[in-house]
Amino acid sequence: MRTRRAMVGRLYRELNLTAGQVMGFGVTTERRRQTVYDNQNNGRVFLPGVRSRGWGDPPVQDAAVNQAYDGSAATYDFYSDVLGRDSVDGAGMELVSTVHYGVGFDNALWDGAQMIYGDGSGHIFQVGALTRSLDVIAHELTHGVTEFTAGLIYSKQSGALNESMSDVFGSLVKQYSLNQTADQADWLIGEGTLVPQLGRALRSMSQPGTAFSGDRQPMHMDHYVNLPDDNDPRNDNGGVHVNSGIPNHAFYLAATTLGGHAWEVAGKVWYTALTKLIRPHTQFREAAQATVDVAGSQFGNDEQAAVLDAWKAVGVLQ
């Protein structure tokens, strides 16, 4: 599915095609920004599934449908109201979601054209938890934003940046919905989605490596995990979910140093870097310098110093 996402994203960027041209759907009308479908546990052959709720429709009896609808709406509103972006493609792309995907499917993901939510098996993810988690929804939809902008290659450092950008904006959407300051936020991604015996969350941006049992995310380049990108799932595409802890922690440090609402300065800096300066093969150091440059040009010396110090603290810049 991630391979498909990468291929679709490349078509968008290199051929300058719209979502509708590539996938045959996805262009919004004036009245409709999102639609939720029910896969009825049938898997990929039945995507997107049976239409369950469209834009402006009232809630239905299925909690997963309503949660996917509300999470997509909250993410759309954040990007629109805070960053001036019209949907994931910046051009009003309809947000299509499918719930009840497969049987006990332990994942939620953006597949290049739409959101897919499994129900969870109860062994890794709690049943129903993936549609309840706003930051997970926003994380996955941000993969769509990255797909249409920087196109970060899903491997090693560029892939870790891809994952980190999704964590950054996943957390910001949650903070925005709760009107939390950087100091008030928990900086956890997917809190309460895992079964309790595994841990409290998928990742911690404030303390990488502490979210769940077996979490080996580093927070400093001294502990960067050098894994091969060899199609072995144990190696995580060269450690994209592992090493994302380093840029995640840099954002956390910058946001908490700047204070206030994290989306107002740090979030805008990271968004401008993602959409204007970062490219498919960008590495940690290049991305860090991009955010430092944006902080100085878009805000000022104090903001630039906070961003620079954050990247120094995690060992990416000196």
Side-chain angles (χ1 to χ4, degrees):
M1 289 182 178
R2 289 196 176 101
T3 300
R4 178 176 184 269
R5 180 175 75 194
M7 292 174 65
V8 171
R10 186 174 178 180
L11 286 173
Y12 289 142
R13 293 187 306 276
E14 295 187 1
L15 302 181
N16 196 30
L17 298 176
T18 68
Q21 288 170 317
V22 175
M23 303 308 301
F25 66 90
V27 179
T28 187
T29 66
E30 185 176 346
R31 293 182 57 251
R32 191 156 135 193
R33 297 187 300 203
Q34 59 187 87
T35 310
V36 182
Y37 295 85
D38 183 355
N39 183 249
Q40 298 180 341
N41 306 119
N42 285 305
R44 178 155 290 280
V45 296
F46 194 57
L47 283 176
V50 177
R51 186 184 185 280
S52 297
R53 187 177 176 189
W55 177 246
D57 292 345
V60 297
Q61 292 187 338
D62 190 328
V65 170
N66 297 328
Q67 290 160 355
Y69 180 97
D70 291 343
S72 292
T75 304
Y76 178 95
D77 288 343
F78 171 84
Y79 273 103
S80 176
D81 297 346
V82 175
L83 301 172
R85 186 176 188 83
D86 185 6
S87 192
V88 296
D89 68 342
M93 179 180 180
E94 180 186 3
L95 298 181
V96 176
S97 303
T98 294
V99 300
H100 305 308
Y101 177 85
V103 178
F105 185 62
D106 272 319
N107 209 349
L109 59 95
W110 169 261
D111 78 343
Q114 68 161 95
M115 283 294 301
I116 292 172
Y117 301 92
D119 291 323
S121 65
H123 300 292
I124 298 175
F125 286 102
Q126 296 185 45
V127 174
L130 292 167
T131 51
R132 290 197 300 266
S133 181
L134 176 58
D135 50 356
V136 167
I137 293 173
H139 169 107
E140 294 300 333
L141 285 170
T142 298
H143 279 306
V145 176
T146 298
E147 172 185 299
F148 281 101
T149 56
L152 283 158
I153 301 299
Y154 205 69
S155 176
K156 295 184 175 287
Q157 285 194 19
S158 60
L161 287 170
N162 192 318
E163 280 298 324
S164 179
M165 288 296 179
S166 281
D167 279 353
V168 163
F169 291 101
S171 182
L172 290 183
V173 170
K174 180 171 70 173
Q175 292 175 40
Y176 183 71
S177 73
L178 297 172
N179 194 28
Q180 291 178 329
T181 64
D183 289 335
Q184 292 170 333
D186 61 20
W187 294 100
L188 295 173
I189 303 297
E191 182 185 18
T193 57
L194 294 171
V195 294
Q197 59 267 35
L198 289 183
R200 59 179 179 156
L202 299 174
R203 286 175 293 282
S204 170
M205 299 179 71
S206 62
Q207 292 291 324
T210 67
F212 64 92
S213 59
D215 184 357
R216 54 176 178 159
Q217 274 204 319
M219 66 173 69
H220 193 279
M221 285 299 290
D222 285 349
H223 305 289
Y224 180 88
V225 182
N226 191 12
L227 294 171
D229 186 357
D230 58 1
N231 293 320
D232 184 336
R234 293 172 296 182
N235 291 325
D236 184 34
N237 293 94
V240 298
H241 291 92
V242 177
N243 294 310
S244 60
I246 296 170
N248 275 2
H249 196 56
F251 182 84
Y252 162 79
L253 292 173
T256 52
T257 297
L258 290 165
H261 293 123
W263 61 83
E264 293 179 340
V265 178
K268 290 180 179 178
V269 167
W270 257 247
Y271 177 74
T272 299
L274 174 67
T275 58
K276 303 296 184 184
L277 299 176
I278 292 175
R279 297 293 181 261
H281 293 282
T282 293
Q283 304 293 287
F284 283 0
R285 185 179 294 274
E286 298 166 296
Q289 190 60 56
T291 62
V292 171
D293 293 344
V294 170
S297 62
Q298 195 166 319
F299 292 97
N301 292 336
D302 291 344
E303 292 83 357
Q304 186 175 48
V307 173
L308 176 61
D309 288 346
W311 286 109
K312 287 182 177 180
V314 301
V316 172
L317 296 178
Q318 298 179 350

